[in-house]
Amino acid sequence: MAASVKEVAAEAGVSVGTVSNVLNRPEVVSERTVTKVTAAIEKLGFVRNDAARQLRAGHSRHFGLMVLDSRNPFFMDVTQGAQHRALENGYTVLMGSSDDSLTTEEQLLDLFDEQRVAGVLISPLHNDLSRLWKIREAGTPVVLVDRGSADRSFSSVSVDDVEGGRIAVQHLVDLGRKNIAFVGGPQSIEQVQHRLEGAQSVIAGTVDAVLQHMMTKQLTVMEGRRVGEQILAMDAAERPDGIFAANDLLALGILQALVMSGDLLVPKDIALVGYDNIDFAESAVVPLTTIRQPAEEIGRTAVDVLLREAEAGEDAVREQFVFTPKLVIRESTVPDSNKN
Amino acid sequence: MAASVKEVAAEAGVSVGTVSNVLNRPEVVSERTVTKVTAAIEKLGFVRNDAARQLRAGHSRHFGLMVLDSRNPFFMDVTQGAQHRALENGYTVLMGSSDDSLTTEEQLLDLFDEQRVAGVLISPLHNDLSRLWKIREAGTPVVLVDRGSADRSFSSVSVDDVEGGRIAVQHLVDLGRKNIAFVGGPQSIEQVQHRLEGAQSVIAGTVDAVLQHMMTKQLTVMEGRRVGEQILAMDAAERPDGIFAANDLLALGILQALVMSGDLLVPKDIALVGYDNIDFAESAVVPLTTIRQPAEEIGRTAVDVLLREAEAGEDAVREQFVFTPKLVIRESTVPDSNKN
DNA sequence: CGACATGATTGAAACGATTCATTTTTAGTA
DNA sequence: TACTAAAAATGAATCGTTTCAATCATGTCG
């Protein structure tokens, strides 16, 4: 249906090679010819067929990006950042979300393979990275996102989650809370594990402080609400006076449950800290104290690293970017921080 | 780098045609051969090269989906729905967001063209649909999403926005609010325009009621906050006692500004209605009354319609799906709806 | 036993852009 | 004008898959 280089060549009275040159290296073509060809392109409404182009090239101009949860605004921000930086460099981003399913992760990676993506950005769900090794061995660079590479075998762009957990719980302890609950799971997610470790390290160094772990199956508002109800059902003795949730979605769910019941006040009875600083944390029932991660910058940086790896090929240097998380204090821990 | 059908054929001792048959129509190949070829595929780790496949086919197995704002959870839900349904039918979704930029919309459509997408799902920013006509004339089906087609020239899956606006403002009027503000813009976005029309129709039929239009440049939390401050700065006489915001993001922004100042109470001084019923509406400072749209179902249905159009080709029947919006009452208009 | 239908397999052509070794044109110089 | 170097243009080969007309094998039936 659409015009091809051949038709453009015919229209302009030149060879297909010349049309291709006009498209890709106009500097080697005489000015007069460029004009002719451009006119023909215009006239026929020619649009490059990317499939043919990438068939020849051997790989596409797409990056594959896989996040843990496409409905988490944090990951949307990461995606946004990645997408922009990729576009600036003439690449597109194929976005997918594993959504807590190992199968989906597997399928999405298959898809990336079929598309011969030029690189993979991934926040892996699987802790076994062998599939990623294979992908890289096949010549496709891989960068871990929002997740470090302990053995530095992959380049990574992440945030120090242990430190994040530490800051969060230290804040709770500083406020005099001693009976802390960490809410989050599944533990197989490394980010969750690290945030928990940070939390534990603070508790270990604080007299009288105890930490209980309330497990969740997902990091969603729904699960948060479930945990909230669980907390409401506890008797006063065991009930925590400080909660650190593994992300803001959980925290908002918990908050919702507590506020709806009206039985427990935040932060008076329970102080609450989330993680990510998504936009909605600020406009929550009780504005949420949380740990900020530079989401868009993570996305941008990840693409930069990927571009460098793609450039370098075989002998690419692995880079480890670790951003430092920051505490954002709001009323879910300190009342009336904004009013007087 | 990766193995090709040719190598698989050699490995299995058959022709390339047979390998292709095993891949696409195993029923015409003898069982013995299928086994041999499958083994070879396994051994070589063969993965189809989709570029070659779609070059041959003339079009890809991607659908292009363009939404107005990728950071709006409503559109993320639409995307989620579309993505799932597409995947069920062996298609992938190339997601883009015009983000209030006509240029971006144009570029993204160019990208879709280059990718020879099998169909376009779009919530158009441009009111001039001529580009979409061209795309369809070139043989690519187009379905409008979250947007009707007044002249029925395109298939569409939408929600009755006029009705939505009506319900929202009727609710405010029923509560005795007479000085209503409609917050939203730019007016070039049809959804905004229709919701405003619905609002106006109610006001026109109500004695003493007045409507003012507070324009925004975007439908974001930030813009909402800006409007909120504007409202705070008004003197009591002109200040509205009921606000209908064109979407939840705006509403949450407004809410945030009002609550932070502490000068005006929601809903006592100002009742607030949003639009979309995003997840975060429920966990807002003051849980938000809003108009629910079946986001995921819109996405799914849009893909269904697109598949039908693609199937039918030239003589496809245009379908108009119009969902009915529903009022969800929460405390931003009716205090203590959940407590006693 | 031979003719024939049916089933299975083959292999060359096609899709459209890019590359690059080769040829043609142009411009500059003696 | 003749010759040469540089610039410009050419076109065949290539990427990997699918398709389809043609060929080959197998078994059935008269």
Side-chain angles (χ1 to χ4, degrees), chain B residues 235-268:
Chain B
D235 41 74
E238 56 167 347
R239 188 184 295 141
D241 56 3
I243 299 179
F244 170 38
N247 80 359
D248 284 347
L249 298 183
L250 280 177
L252 289 176
I254 294 169
L255 189 60
Q256 224 172 288
L258 298 185
V259 170
M260 268 173 60
S261 87
D263 296 339
L264 292 172
L265 296 178
V266 176
K268 187 170 164 293

PDB file of all heavy atoms in Angstrom, chain B residues 235-268:
ATOM      1  N   ASP B 235     -12.428  36.741  46.769  1.00  0.00           N
ATOM      2  CA  ASP B 235     -13.168  37.122  47.958  1.00  0.00           C
ATOM      3  C   ASP B 235     -14.480  36.364  48.018  1.00  0.00           C
ATOM      4  O   ASP B 235     -15.002  35.871  47.016  1.00  0.00           O
ATOM      5  CB  ASP B 235     -13.357  38.634  48.077  1.00  0.00           C
ATOM      6  CG  ASP B 235     -13.678  39.297  46.777  1.00  0.00           C
ATOM      7  OD1 ASP B 235     -14.834  39.140  46.316  1.00  0.00           O
ATOM      8  OD2 ASP B 235     -12.763  39.921  46.204  1.00  0.00           O
ATOM      9  N   ALA B 236     -14.945  36.245  49.239  1.00  0.00           N
ATOM     10  CA  ALA B 236     -16.055  35.344  49.546  1.00  0.00           C
ATOM     11  C   ALA B 236     -17.229  35.468  48.574  1.00  0.00           C
ATOM     12  O   ALA B 236     -17.886  34.489  48.249  1.00  0.00           O
ATOM     13  CB  ALA B 236     -16.530  35.577  50.978  1.00  0.00           C
ATOM     14  N   ALA B 237     -17.494  36.671  48.103  1.00  0.00           N
ATOM     15  CA  ALA B 237     -18.647  36.899  47.239  1.00  0.00           C
ATOM     16  C   ALA B 237     -18.588  36.082  45.951  1.00  0.00           C
ATOM     17  O   ALA B 237     -19.555  35.421  45.577  1.00  0.00           O
ATOM     18  CB  ALA B 237     -18.756  38.380  46.908  1.00  0.00           C
ATOM     19  N   GLU B 238     -17.451  36.115  45.297  1.00  0.00           N
ATOM     20  CA  GLU B 238     -17.365  35.434  44.007  1.00  0.00           C
ATOM     21  C   GLU B 238     -16.913  33.985  44.126  1.00  0.00           C
ATOM     22  O   GLU B 238     -16.994  33.209  43.176  1.00  0.00           O
ATOM     23  CB  GLU B 238     -16.423  36.198  43.069  1.00  0.00           C
ATOM     24  CG  GLU B 238     -15.039  36.398  43.645  1.00  0.00           C
ATOM     25  CD  GLU B 238     -14.011  36.872  42.593  1.00  0.00           C
ATOM     26  OE1 GLU B 238     -14.308  36.819  41.394  1.00  0.00           O
ATOM     27  OE2 GLU B 238     -12.901  37.273  43.011  1.00  0.00           O
ATOM     28  N   ARG B 239     -16.438  33.617  45.299  1.00  0.00           N
ATOM     29  CA  ARG B 239     -15.892  32.273  45.470  1.00  0.00           C
ATOM     30  C   ARG B 239     -16.979  31.206  45.291  1.00  0.00           C
ATOM     31  O   ARG B 239     -18.074  31.332  45.832  1.00  0.00           O
ATOM     32  CB  ARG B 239     -15.261  32.150  46.861  1.00  0.00           C
ATOM     33  CG  ARG B 239     -14.497  30.842  47.034  1.00  0.00           C
ATOM     34  CD  ARG B 239     -13.977  30.724  48.442  1.00  0.00           C
ATOM     35  NE  ARG B 239     -12.985  31.736  48.738  1.00  0.00           N
ATOM     36  CZ  ARG B 239     -12.890  32.373  49.907  1.00  0.00           C
ATOM     37  NH1 ARG B 239     -13.756  32.120  50.860  1.00  0.00           N
ATOM     38  NH2 ARG B 239     -11.954  33.253  50.095  1.00  0.00           N
ATOM     39  N   PRO B 240     -16.705  30.164  44.518  1.00  0.00           N
ATOM     40  CA  PRO B 240     -17.705  29.118  44.300  1.00  0.00           C
ATOM     41  C   PRO B 240     -17.936  28.292  45.568  1.00  0.00           C
ATOM     42  O   PRO B 240     -17.068  28.214  46.430  1.00  0.00           O
ATOM     43  CB  PRO B 240     -17.060  28.247  43.216  1.00  0.00           C
ATOM     44  CG  PRO B 240     -15.589  28.471  43.369  1.00  0.00           C
ATOM     45  CD  PRO B 240     -15.441  29.897  43.795  1.00  0.00           C
ATOM     46  N   ASP B 241     -19.123  27.705  45.678  1.00  0.00           N
ATOM     47  CA  ASP B 241     -19.375  26.783  46.792  1.00  0.00           C
ATOM     48  C   ASP B 241     -19.455  25.343  46.302  1.00  0.00           C
ATOM     49  O   ASP B 241     -19.675  24.419  47.075  1.00  0.00           O
ATOM     50  CB  ASP B 241     -20.646  27.173  47.556  1.00  0.00           C
ATOM     51  CG  ASP B 241     -21.863  27.245  46.651  1.00  0.00           C
ATOM     52  OD1 ASP B 241     -21.730  26.936  45.440  1.00  0.00           O
ATOM     53  OD2 ASP B 241     -22.953  27.617  47.137  1.00  0.00           O
ATOM     54  N   GLY B 242     -19.250  25.196  44.994  1.00  0.00           N
ATOM     55  CA  GLY B 242     -19.205  23.859  44.412  1.00  0.00           C
ATOM     56  C   GLY B 242     -18.257  23.860  43.224  1.00  0.00           C
ATOM     57  O   GLY B 242     -18.266  24.796  42.421  1.00  0.00           O
ATOM     58  N   ILE B 243     -17.409  22.852  43.165  1.00  0.00           N
ATOM     59  CA  ILE B 243     -16.459  22.778  42.050  1.00  0.00           C
ATOM     60  C   ILE B 243     -16.604  21.438  41.341  1.00  0.00           C
ATOM     61  O   ILE B 243     -16.660  20.399  41.978  1.00  0.00           O
ATOM     62  CB  ILE B 243     -15.009  22.915  42.546  1.00  0.00           C
ATOM     63  CG1 ILE B 243     -14.798  24.271  43.225  1.00  0.00           C
ATOM     64  CG2 ILE B 243     -14.019  22.738  41.390  1.00  0.00           C
ATOM     65  CD1 ILE B 243     -13.385  24.455  43.765  1.00  0.00           C
ATOM     66  N   PHE B 244     -16.653  21.531  40.021  1.00  0.00           N
ATOM     67  CA  PHE B 244     -16.615  20.323  39.221  1.00  0.00           C
ATOM     68  C   PHE B 244     -15.323  20.371  38.402  1.00  0.00           C
ATOM     69  O   PHE B 244     -15.141  21.252  37.575  1.00  0.00           O
ATOM     70  CB  PHE B 244     -17.842  20.254  38.304  1.00  0.00           C
ATOM     71  CG  PHE B 244     -17.777  19.156  37.275  1.00  0.00           C
ATOM     72  CD1 PHE B 244     -17.225  17.905  37.580  1.00  0.00           C
ATOM     73  CD2 PHE B 244     -18.285  19.361  35.988  1.00  0.00           C
ATOM     74  CE1 PHE B 244     -17.174  16.888  36.623  1.00  0.00           C
ATOM     75  CE2 PHE B 244     -18.242  18.347  35.028  1.00  0.00           C
ATOM     76  CZ  PHE B 244     -17.671  17.121  35.349  1.00  0.00           C
ATOM     77  N   ALA B 245     -14.405  19.464  38.708  1.00  0.00           N
ATOM     78  CA  ALA B 245     -13.124  19.452  38.005  1.00  0.00           C
ATOM     79  C   ALA B 245     -13.170  18.431  36.872  1.00  0.00           C
ATOM     80  O   ALA B 245     -13.754  17.358  37.019  1.00  0.00           O
ATOM     81  CB  ALA B 245     -12.000  19.102  38.968  1.00  0.00           C
ATOM     82  N   ALA B 246     -12.536  18.769  35.771  1.00  0.00           N
ATOM     83  CA  ALA B 246     -12.630  17.932  34.565  1.00  0.00           C
ATOM     84  C   ALA B 246     -11.973  16.573  34.721  1.00  0.00           C
ATOM     85  O   ALA B 246     -12.256  15.657  33.963  1.00  0.00           O
ATOM     86  CB  ALA B 246     -12.040  18.669  33.370  1.00  0.00           C
ATOM     87  N   ASN B 247     -11.087  16.441  35.691  1.00  0.00           N
ATOM     88  CA  ASN B 247     -10.628  15.091  36.026  1.00  0.00           C
ATOM     89  C   ASN B 247     -10.116  15.035  37.473  1.00  0.00           C
ATOM     90  O   ASN B 247     -10.000  16.063  38.145  1.00  0.00           O
ATOM     91  CB  ASN B 247      -9.605  14.549  35.013  1.00  0.00           C
ATOM     92  CG  ASN B 247      -8.202  15.074  35.226  1.00  0.00           C
ATOM     93  OD1 ASN B 247      -7.938  15.877  36.115  1.00  0.00           O
ATOM     94  ND2 ASN B 247      -7.291  14.615  34.389  1.00  0.00           N
ATOM     95  N   ASP B 248      -9.827  13.830  37.919  1.00  0.00           N
ATOM     96  CA  ASP B 248      -9.455  13.647  39.316  1.00  0.00           C
ATOM     97  C   ASP B 248      -8.114  14.292  39.668  1.00  0.00           C
ATOM     98  O   ASP B 248      -7.901  14.722  40.799  1.00  0.00           O
ATOM     99  CB  ASP B 248      -9.401  12.158  39.660  1.00  0.00           C
ATOM    100  CG  ASP B 248     -10.787  11.555  39.834  1.00  0.00           C
ATOM    101  OD1 ASP B 248     -11.758  12.335  39.925  1.00  0.00           O
ATOM    102  OD2 ASP B 248     -10.898  10.317  39.882  1.00  0.00           O
ATOM    103  N   LEU B 249      -7.208  14.323  38.707  1.00  0.00           N
ATOM    104  CA  LEU B 249      -5.913  14.917  39.001  1.00  0.00           C
ATOM    105  C   LEU B 249      -6.087  16.383  39.381  1.00  0.00           C
ATOM    106  O   LEU B 249      -5.549  16.849  40.391  1.00  0.00           O
ATOM    107  CB  LEU B 249      -4.977  14.791  37.796  1.00  0.00           C
ATOM    108  CG  LEU B 249      -4.637  13.362  37.361  1.00  0.00           C
ATOM    109  CD1 LEU B 249      -3.658  13.375  36.204  1.00  0.00           C
ATOM    110  CD2 LEU B 249      -4.065  12.570  38.525  1.00  0.00           C
ATOM    111  N   LEU B 250      -6.841  17.091  38.576  1.00  0.00           N
ATOM    112  CA  LEU B 250      -7.138  18.491  38.893  1.00  0.00           C
ATOM    113  C   LEU B 250      -7.795  18.580  40.266  1.00  0.00           C
ATOM    114  O   LEU B 250      -7.396  19.394  41.105  1.00  0.00           O
ATOM    115  CB  LEU B 250      -8.104  19.080  37.859  1.00  0.00           C
ATOM    116  CG  LEU B 250      -7.532  19.533  36.524  1.00  0.00           C
ATOM    117  CD1 LEU B 250      -8.673  20.016  35.630  1.00  0.00           C
ATOM    118  CD2 LEU B 250      -6.527  20.653  36.738  1.00  0.00           C
ATOM    119  N   ALA B 251      -8.787  17.743  40.478  1.00  0.00           N
ATOM    120  CA  ALA B 251      -9.534  17.788  41.736  1.00  0.00           C
ATOM    121  C   ALA B 251      -8.611  17.566  42.925  1.00  0.00           C
ATOM    122  O   ALA B 251      -8.686  18.276  43.931  1.00  0.00           O
ATOM    123  CB  ALA B 251     -10.644  16.744  41.723  1.00  0.00           C
ATOM    124  N   LEU B 252      -7.706  16.594  42.793  1.00  0.00           N
ATOM    125  CA  LEU B 252      -6.792  16.327  43.901  1.00  0.00           C
ATOM    126  C   LEU B 252      -5.865  17.518  44.144  1.00  0.00           C
ATOM    127  O   LEU B 252      -5.539  17.846  45.280  1.00  0.00           O
ATOM    128  CB  LEU B 252      -5.970  15.061  43.613  1.00  0.00           C
ATOM    129  CG  LEU B 252      -6.754  13.742  43.675  1.00  0.00           C
ATOM    130  CD1 LEU B 252      -5.878  12.562  43.292  1.00  0.00           C
ATOM    131  CD2 LEU B 252      -7.351  13.533  45.070  1.00  0.00           C
ATOM    132  N   GLY B 253      -5.457  18.160  43.073  1.00  0.00           N
ATOM    133  CA  GLY B 253      -4.602  19.344  43.208  1.00  0.00           C
ATOM    134  C   GLY B 253      -5.333  20.462  43.943  1.00  0.00           C
ATOM    135  O   GLY B 253      -4.791  21.093  44.854  1.00  0.00           O
ATOM    136  N   ILE B 254      -6.560  20.681  43.536  1.00  0.00           N
ATOM    137  CA  ILE B 254      -7.369  21.716  44.175  1.00  0.00           C
ATOM    138  C   ILE B 254      -7.527  21.403  45.665  1.00  0.00           C
ATOM    139  O   ILE B 254      -7.308  22.248  46.534  1.00  0.00           O
ATOM    140  CB  ILE B 254      -8.772  21.794  43.524  1.00  0.00           C
ATOM    141  CG1 ILE B 254      -8.655  22.268  42.072  1.00  0.00           C
ATOM    142  CG2 ILE B 254      -9.699  22.702  44.313  1.00  0.00           C
ATOM    143  CD1 ILE B 254      -9.945  22.123  41.268  1.00  0.00           C
ATOM    144  N   LEU B 255      -7.876  20.152  45.911  1.00  0.00           N
ATOM    145  CA  LEU B 255      -8.093  19.695  47.277  1.00  0.00           C
ATOM    146  C   LEU B 255      -6.856  19.954  48.130  1.00  0.00           C
ATOM    147  O   LEU B 255      -6.930  20.467  49.257  1.00  0.00           O
ATOM    148  CB  LEU B 255      -8.400  18.198  47.239  1.00  0.00           C
ATOM    149  CG  LEU B 255      -8.876  17.550  48.527  1.00  0.00           C
ATOM    150  CD1 LEU B 255     -10.165  18.209  48.992  1.00  0.00           C
ATOM    151  CD2 LEU B 255      -9.108  16.054  48.304  1.00  0.00           C
ATOM    152  N   GLN B 256      -5.727  19.605  47.550  1.00  0.00           N
ATOM    153  CA  GLN B 256      -4.469  19.766  48.249  1.00  0.00           C
ATOM    154  C   GLN B 256      -4.254  21.229  48.653  1.00  0.00           C
ATOM    155  O   GLN B 256      -3.932  21.534  49.797  1.00  0.00           O
ATOM    156  CB  GLN B 256      -3.363  19.357  47.289  1.00  0.00           C
ATOM    157  CG  GLN B 256      -2.307  18.499  47.874  1.00  0.00           C
ATOM    158  CD  GLN B 256      -1.394  18.018  46.751  1.00  0.00           C
ATOM    159  OE1 GLN B 256      -1.782  17.180  45.945  1.00  0.00           O
ATOM    160  NE2 GLN B 256      -0.204  18.566  46.701  1.00  0.00           N
ATOM    161  N   ALA B 257      -4.475  22.116  47.697  1.00  0.00           N
ATOM    162  CA  ALA B 257      -4.276  23.547  47.969  1.00  0.00           C
ATOM    163  C   ALA B 257      -5.219  24.023  49.065  1.00  0.00           C
ATOM    164  O   ALA B 257      -4.808  24.721  50.003  1.00  0.00           O
ATOM    165  CB  ALA B 257      -4.490  24.358  46.697  1.00  0.00           C
ATOM    166  N   LEU B 258      -6.480  23.611  48.971  1.00  0.00           N
ATOM    167  CA  LEU B 258      -7.467  24.077  49.951  1.00  0.00           C
ATOM    168  C   LEU B 258      -7.141  23.551  51.342  1.00  0.00           C
ATOM    169  O   LEU B 258      -7.138  24.293  52.330  1.00  0.00           O
ATOM    170  CB  LEU B 258      -8.877  23.634  49.546  1.00  0.00           C
ATOM    171  CG  LEU B 258      -9.415  24.160  48.219  1.00  0.00           C
ATOM    172  CD1 LEU B 258     -10.865  23.731  48.020  1.00  0.00           C
ATOM    173  CD2 LEU B 258      -9.295  25.685  48.143  1.00  0.00           C
ATOM    174  N   VAL B 259      -6.860  22.264  51.419  1.00  0.00           N
ATOM    175  CA  VAL B 259      -6.597  21.656  52.712  1.00  0.00           C
ATOM    176  C   VAL B 259      -5.320  22.198  53.331  1.00  0.00           C
ATOM    177  O   VAL B 259      -5.262  22.471  54.529  1.00  0.00           O
ATOM    178  CB  VAL B 259      -6.519  20.118  52.584  1.00  0.00           C
ATOM    179  CG1 VAL B 259      -5.995  19.496  53.870  1.00  0.00           C
ATOM    180  CG2 VAL B 259      -7.880  19.545  52.238  1.00  0.00           C
ATOM    181  N   MET B 260      -4.307  22.402  52.523  1.00  0.00           N
ATOM    182  CA  MET B 260      -3.047  22.906  53.051  1.00  0.00           C
ATOM    183  C   MET B 260      -3.210  24.295  53.660  1.00  0.00           C
ATOM    184  O   MET B 260      -2.609  24.607  54.672  1.00  0.00           O
ATOM    185  CB  MET B 260      -1.974  22.945  51.952  1.00  0.00           C
ATOM    186  CG  MET B 260      -1.149  21.669  51.886  1.00  0.00           C
ATOM    187  SD  MET B 260      -0.052  21.666  50.466  1.00  0.00           S
ATOM    188  CE  MET B 260       0.953  23.111  50.809  1.00  0.00           C
ATOM    189  N   SER B 261      -4.031  25.095  53.013  1.00  0.00           N
ATOM    190  CA  SER B 261      -4.223  26.447  53.543  1.00  0.00           C
ATOM    191  C   SER B 261      -5.010  26.391  54.850  1.00  0.00           C
ATOM    192  O   SER B 261      -4.794  27.185  55.757  1.00  0.00           O
ATOM    193  CB  SER B 261      -4.966  27.310  52.527  1.00  0.00           C
ATOM    194  OG  SER B 261      -6.361  27.140  52.695  1.00  0.00           O
ATOM    195  N   GLY B 262      -5.946  25.451  54.919  1.00  0.00           N
ATOM    196  CA  GLY B 262      -6.749  25.329  56.121  1.00  0.00           C
ATOM    197  C   GLY B 262      -7.844  26.384  56.235  1.00  0.00           C
ATOM    198  O   GLY B 262      -8.615  26.399  57.179  1.00  0.00           O
ATOM    199  N   ASP B 263      -7.935  27.269  55.239  1.00  0.00           N
ATOM    200  CA  ASP B 263      -8.903  28.365  55.312  1.00  0.00           C
ATOM    201  C   ASP B 263     -10.301  27.967  54.869  1.00  0.00           C
ATOM    202  O   ASP B 263     -11.297  28.538  55.315  1.00  0.00           O
ATOM    203  CB  ASP B 263      -8.430  29.548  54.456  1.00  0.00           C
ATOM    204  CG  ASP B 263      -7.132  30.130  54.989  1.00  0.00           C
ATOM    205  OD1 ASP B 263      -6.844  29.895  56.183  1.00  0.00           O
ATOM    206  OD2 ASP B 263      -6.422  30.788  54.215  1.00  0.00           O
ATOM    207  N   LEU B 264     -10.359  26.999  53.979  1.00  0.00           N
ATOM    208  CA  LEU B 264     -11.663  26.597  53.462  1.00  0.00           C
ATOM    209  C   LEU B 264     -11.859  25.107  53.673  1.00  0.00           C
ATOM    210  O   LEU B 264     -10.939  24.315  53.468  1.00  0.00           O
ATOM    211  CB  LEU B 264     -11.752  26.899  51.958  1.00  0.00           C
ATOM    212  CG  LEU B 264     -11.781  28.373  51.566  1.00  0.00           C
ATOM    213  CD1 LEU B 264     -11.681  28.519  50.061  1.00  0.00           C
ATOM    214  CD2 LEU B 264     -13.057  29.025  52.088  1.00  0.00           C
ATOM    215  N   LEU B 265     -13.040  24.730  54.092  1.00  0.00           N
ATOM    216  CA  LEU B 265     -13.289  23.313  54.357  1.00  0.00           C
ATOM    217  C   LEU B 265     -14.030  22.645  53.198  1.00  0.00           C
ATOM    218  O   LEU B 265     -14.947  23.222  52.614  1.00  0.00           O
ATOM    219  CB  LEU B 265     -14.102  23.167  55.645  1.00  0.00           C
ATOM    220  CG  LEU B 265     -13.391  23.653  56.912  1.00  0.00           C
ATOM    221  CD1 LEU B 265     -14.311  23.511  58.126  1.00  0.00           C
ATOM    222  CD2 LEU B 265     -12.091  22.882  57.126  1.00  0.00           C
ATOM    223  N   VAL B 266     -13.601  21.432  52.917  1.00  0.00           N
ATOM    224  CA  VAL B 266     -14.280  20.599  51.920  1.00  0.00           C
ATOM    225  C   VAL B 266     -14.969  19.473  52.680  1.00  0.00           C
ATOM    226  O   VAL B 266     -14.319  18.796  53.490  1.00  0.00           O
ATOM    227  CB  VAL B 266     -13.282  20.011  50.912  1.00  0.00           C
ATOM    228  CG1 VAL B 266     -13.986  19.068  49.945  1.00  0.00           C
ATOM    229  CG2 VAL B 266     -12.543  21.116  50.162  1.00  0.00           C
ATOM    230  N   PRO B 267     -16.256  19.273  52.533  1.00  0.00           N
ATOM    231  CA  PRO B 267     -17.154  19.921  51.578  1.00  0.00           C
ATOM    232  C   PRO B 267     -17.913  21.119  52.154  1.00  0.00           C
ATOM    233  O   PRO B 267     -18.676  21.729  51.416  1.00  0.00           O
ATOM    234  CB  PRO B 267     -18.145  18.795  51.272  1.00  0.00           C
ATOM    235  CG  PRO B 267     -18.248  18.055  52.564  1.00  0.00           C
ATOM    236  CD  PRO B 267     -16.904  18.140  53.207  1.00  0.00           C
ATOM    237  N   LYS B 268     -17.709  21.452  53.431  1.00  0.00           N
ATOM    238  CA  LYS B 268     -18.553  22.471  54.037  1.00  0.00           C
ATOM    239  C   LYS B 268     -18.577  23.782  53.225  1.00  0.00           C
ATOM    240  O   LYS B 268     -19.635  24.238  52.786  1.00  0.00           O
ATOM    241  CB  LYS B 268     -18.080  22.753  55.468  1.00  0.00           C
ATOM    242  CG  LYS B 268     -18.993  23.673  56.261  1.00  0.00           C
ATOM    243  CD  LYS B 268     -18.580  23.706  57.729  1.00  0.00           C
ATOM    244  CE  LYS B 268     -19.213  24.896  58.436  1.00  0.00           C
ATOM    245  NZ  LYS B 268     -18.695  26.180  57.969  1.00  0.00           N
TER     246      LYS B 268
END
